[in-house]
Amino acid sequence: MSALDDRSDQDLLSLHVDGDPDAFGEIVRRHRDRLWAVALRTLGDREEAADAVQDALVSAYRAAHTFRGQSAVTTWLHRITVNACLDRARKATSRRTSPVAETERLEQLLEPEESAAAPAERKDLHRELLGALRTLPEEQRAALVLVDMQGYPVAEAAQILDIPTGTVKSRCARGRARLLPLVTHLRTDDGGSEPASRGRNRAQGTSVPPTAGPKDKGAVKGGGGRA
């Protein structure tokens, strides 16, 4: 058991700023799976999501000295990650590449555990839902991913996005209105919506690929956070 295991996130961030070489790595270990899940569902592309998480972790590593404790460390990390995702989504609109083959796209979009074991019907549902999400403006998509798919309370999503709670609610409402015609056919015969029934989980089991750590060579081994 590491000596850092019992330290709070805020203590770890302070230790990192003071030069502890392992503190930021412990923060990454605790939170990267949830950051990865948010990035994957926001961007709908595994490579883009991995790069967004890398960008976010490097930004957090370098900006640790600016953290003032006005929110939880996890909220701060999620805000940085969502902003990194939105930046990549905006850039992607100006550099669209050729479409990926449908079978390859399916493997990219589905979580690792699900792509190997889920029934074909669930794969199709997940693929279509993510495809529909990608048609939304990125701000609406980010709000819906946090509230409807990751299960965050509106107030917490507002902190992550750094916007008023009313704006989160309106973005979710507009996003759902645009999404509904695209996913109505996915509803099951018993009247429930399959995507909605799974949308309140935070996908704790989703794992970050090995490349989803900071690209900064000193991000875990080096200390200080003031680069």
Side-chain angles (χ1 to χ4, degrees), residues 137-149:
E138 54 261 30
E139 289 83 3
Q140 293 177 16
R141 188 193 321 164
L144 280 177
V145 166
L146 289 173
V147 175
D148 285 358
M149 299 187 73

Side-chain angles (χ1 to χ4, degrees), residues 103-153:
T103 54
E104 184 178 350
R105 182 185 300 279
L106 179 60
E107 291 302 316
Q108 286 179 346
L109 297 183
L110 293 175
E111 299 163 14
E113 299 85 356
E114 189 166 354
S115 64
E121 293 82 359
R122 186 173 300 285
K123 291 183 181 181
D124 290 339
L125 288 172
H126 197 173
R127 179 185 62 190
E128 292 193 48
L129 176 59
L130 288 173
L133 276 170
R134 286 198 302 274
T135 68
L136 301 181
E138 54 261 30
E139 289 83 3
Q140 293 177 16
R141 188 193 321 164
L144 280 177
V145 166
L146 289 173
V147 175
D148 285 358
M149 299 187 73
Q150 295 298 106
Y152 286 99

